[in-house]
Amino acid sequence: MKIQIVAVGTKMPDWVNRGVEEFLRRFPTDLPVYFTEIAAGKRGKNADIPRVLQREGEATLAAIPKGNRVVTLEVKGKPWDTPQLAKKLDAWKMDGRDVSLLIGGPEGLAPACIAAAEQKWSLSNLTLPHPLVRIIVAESLYRAWSVTQNHPYHRE
């Protein structure tokens, strides 16, 4: 199984890239996790936000390989603690499909992305800064994997 994280936004600060890469490199070769970045639409004073969101959504959905399980990250999704995420990870492996986790831009995900989701995951009731979400998702996935492997990274 592969896990793809599709995130709207490019040109992240160096500390974000280093933080994400630190966790991605720790995954075993039989569970590769990788990012696909989607260019954010231009936002300005007179921007047509619904249209920007629609275009981001189209690009996001186009980046997902056919047959992947789609999981959106949304404030209105279900909160999963680490043991629950570990169980989801095991279930995804048993399902046999690759997984695409979708992270939206400043206004969130396009309605088409939300409609495509098989599962909706909430990291918090708070609106989190986009760069930070990337690191939290990468670390949370690594921690969940460590639980499934009885790896010492996760200690209760």
Side-chain angles (χ1 to χ4, degrees):
M1 177 180 79
K2 292 184 242 171
I3 298 177
Q4 173 194 40
I5 302 169
V6 184
V8 174
T10 56
K11 300 178 186 165
M12 289 293 114
D14 206 34
W15 63 270
V16 173
N17 294 327
R18 283 193 317 269
V20 166
E21 285 302 318
E22 175 60 28
F23 290 105
L24 296 188
R25 75 171 182 76
R26 295 181 185 191
F27 281 94
T29 56
D30 66 337
L31 183 62
V33 178
Y34 65 99
F35 269 79
T36 301
E37 292 185 325
I38 304 299
K42 292 201 182 251
R43 288 161 169 81
K45 199 165 135 181
N46 298 318
D48 182 353
I49 297 301
R51 176 163 284 205
V52 168
L53 203 56
Q54 178 187 352
R55 287 187 182 142
E56 289 173 353
E58 289 167 357
T60 297
L61 293 173
I64 300 169
K66 187 176 170 84
N68 276 24
R69 170 185 296 276
V70 175
V71 179
T72 53
L73 280 99
E74 304 178 50
V75 170
K76 294 179 182 175
K78 299 261 188 226
W80 299 334
D81 62 20
T82 299
Q84 289 170 322
L85 180 56
K87 285 180 183 169
K88 301 281 184 205
L89 196 57
D90 276 341
W92 295 341
K93 282 192 236 175
M94 294 302 291
D95 180 52
R97 294 184 290 158
D98 292 336
V99 176
S100 293
L101 301 172
L102 311 186
I103 301 171
E107 290 81 24
L109 289 162
C113 293
I114 294 168
E118 291 182 44
Q119 293 173 298
K120 298 174 183 183
W121 176 21
S122 174
L123 296 179
S124 170
N125 284 332
L126 299 171
T127 300
L128 299 172
H130 183 87
L132 196 54
V133 168
R134 291 178 180 220
I135 295 172
I136 292 170
V137 168
E139 192 280 339
S140 297
L141 288 171
Y142 180 72
R143 184 174 296 275
W145 171 84
S146 74
V147 167
T148 68
Q149 303 300 305
N150 202 23
H151 187 280
Y153 180 79
H154 177 73
R155 295 181 181 94
E156 291 187 28

